[in-house]
Amino acid sequence: MSGANYKDAGVDIDAGNALVEAIKGDAKSTSRSGVVSGLGGFGAMFDLKAAGYSDPILVAGTDGVGTKLKVAIAMQSHTTVGIDLVAMCVNDLVVQGAEPLFFLDYYATGKLDVKAGKDIIAGIAEGCRQSGAALIGGETAEMPGMYGGGDYDLAGFCVGAVDRDAVLTGDKVQDGDVILGLASSGLHSNGFSLVRKVVSDAVIGGPADTKMQAAVRDHIVDKARLAYQVEAPFAPFNAQGKTLGEALLVPTKIYVKSCLAAIKSGGVHALSHITGGGVLENIPRVLPDGLAAEVDATAWDTPDVFRWLQREGNIAATEMARTFNCGVGMAVVVDATKAAELKAVFEAEGETVFEIGRIIPRPQGNEGVVLLNADKAWG
């Protein structure tokens, strides 16, 4: 009889080593000034002085992709979720004026699929290239019994830096400032538990009121994958012949380079990454006490995916504003005298920009956002 071994227990060390070898080229393609070590060591090193900082403040963030991964797994399409992973981290860092320096990932699965793993890491490398961060390390964990079938989870960790006198804290925001909205690429990586429910309810013909309906919903959406294979019911994807799954997997937009360019131009008082919590909960995070954001929901073009979700799920306008970005992925509070100039800077960096509101004294009892015309935009 042969003795017990790790592979028989469900962990394939050789597959893990093969994945490390397969991704070395992707990691190398993200190298930047300041990187001291490559993949394979116990720890990765980074030289802040070599990166050009004289009096740096480090800014760190961590995030995941959420249940958008369930759509990727159902579609067996893993090439873009790595971009989502990086985007969710680096977009948070740039809000404080920080340049992303390096990124590490955590990839956990029940059974390692080297091809899927390479696709995921290639997406992470692409996100790092878009944001200027170096992919300097990570962890692949094969955990049989913890994850079923082809399931996996992702987490990302990013460290950035900003010189002490350039940190964005929101303390310069003042009454009369203009709020610019940078267009999103779609859903980004928020609200997918609700998205999946709306999709599955549409398939079974109504809300999952019973355990049996819930089981049918999960079978159809997460096992058979039928729901995501239909043609996308909203523009522009229906005109392109894209499936619903492909449309939902459009990766999160990375705003790092455009925001850093705008900050350098002067006049940016605050940035707010519109993630979970939507417009209603994210903009107040960067406002001083006593001030609020007056936002007109009709001031920007709401992508059809959001209108479709609202209609199919009969989602209230306030729930839309609290769950999804609704078409604005980054809000930028700027000096009113610099608004036109900064709009041009963003557009030169490839952003679609809308003037979506202004800063006002906070009304009594208001939590930080006065949202206008929400029912007209999404009701």
Side-chain angles (χ1 to χ4, degrees):
M1 293 179 62
S2 60
N5 62 70
Y6 214 7
K7 189 171 184 177
D8 289 343
V11 179
D12 190 342
I13 294 175
D14 292 333
N17 291 336
L19 179 59
V20 172
E21 286 301 315
I23 65 175
K24 281 185 175 179
D26 286 321
K28 187 176 181 180
S29 73
T30 70
S31 186
R32 52 154 296 154
S33 60
V35 174
V36 176
S37 58
L39 291 183
F42 286 97
M45 295 183 288
F46 193 91
D47 184 345
L48 279 171
K49 187 175 181 181
Y53 288 89
S54 57
D55 187 18
I57 296 290
L58 291 179
V59 183
T62 182
D63 211 333
V65 184
T67 59
K68 186 174 187 176
L69 291 179
K70 296 288 284 184
V71 182
I73 292 165
M75 291 290 293
Q76 297 182 2
S77 176
H78 314 289
T79 57
T80 58
V81 289
I83 300 174
D84 289 303
L85 182 66
V86 176
M88 297 304 287
C89 295
V90 298
N91 285 342
D92 279 353
L93 262 60
V94 78
V95 161
Q96 289 154 301
E99 173 195 16
L101 299 176
F102 57 86
F103 191 89
L104 300 96
D105 69 275
Y106 175 75
Y107 167 39
T109 185
K111 181 173 177 56
L112 184 59
D113 179 333
V114 175
K115 170 63 168 61
K118 189 177 187 312
D119 286 346
I120 291 165
I121 307 288
I124 292 172
E126 172 59 24
C128 286
R129 287 190 292 268
Q130 289 184 26
S131 62
L135 177 58
I136 62 173
E139 167 72 0
T140 300
E142 193 172 19
M143 297 188 288
M146 184 69 75
Y147 299 91
D151 287 348
Y152 62 88
D153 199 7
L154 296 174
F157 313 88
C158 193
V159 173
V162 54
D163 275 321
R164 192 177 303 271
D165 60 358
V167 177
L168 280 181
T169 64
D171 62 327
K172 294 182 180 178
V173 175
Q174 58 187 350
D175 183 11
D177 279 354
V178 168
I179 307 171
L180 302 178
L182 307 186
S184 68
S185 55
L187 289 163
H188 288 183
S189 293
N190 300 109
F192 269 84
S193 294
L194 179 54
V195 170
R196 291 171 52 244
K197 183 181 186 307
V198 170
V199 172
S200 59
D201 287 351
V203 170
I204 67 173
D209 294 326
T210 69
K211 290 182 179 179
M212 182 176 294
Q213 284 181 311
V216 170
R217 177 189 69 202
D218 290 341
H219 174 74
I220 291 173
V221 177
D222 296 329
K223 300 297 192 297
R225 306 193 303 275
L226 297 178
Y228 297 118
Q229 300 293 347
V230 301
E231 182 179 333
F234 45 81
F237 304 100
N238 51 8
Q240 300 167 353
K242 299 285 189 182
T243 66
L244 175 59
E246 290 171 328
L248 296 178
L249 287 176
V250 171
T252 306
K253 188 169 180 56
I254 292 175
Y255 298 100
V256 169
K257 293 183 178 179
S258 63
C259 286
L260 290 177
I263 292 168
K264 187 176 180 180
S265 293
V268 174
H269 289 170
L271 294 164
S272 177
H273 183 199
I274 308 302
T275 59
V279 170
L280 290 182
E281 295 188 6
N282 284 292
I283 296 179
R285 296 167 67 182
V286 299
L287 300 182
D289 290 342
L291 294 178
E294 183 181 78
V295 175
D296 184 349
T298 61
W300 68 89
D301 298 330
T302 302
D304 282 352
V305 60
F306 297 105
R307 299 185 188 280
W308 177 79
L309 284 166
Q310 190 282 326
R311 185 173 62 252
E312 285 292 327
N314 193 28
I315 304 170
T318 52
E319 186 69 13
M320 291 291 295
R322 197 180 299 277
T323 304
F324 303 115
N325 67 64
C326 294
V328 172
M330 184 74 75
V332 189
V333 182
V334 304
D335 186 316
T337 65
K338 298 271 287 183
E341 179 184 336
L342 286 166
K343 184 174 184 290
V345 170
F346 279 115
E347 289 174 340
E349 292 290 328
E351 303 289 358
T352 300
V353 189
F354 306 97
E355 186 172 320
I356 65 172
R358 62 192 180 96
I359 301 300
I360 62 172
R362 182 176 298 190
Q364 187 174 2
N366 181 269
E367 295 183 358
V369 175
V370 176
L371 187 61
L372 307 177
N373 299 315
D375 285 326
K376 184 177 180 181
W378 315 309

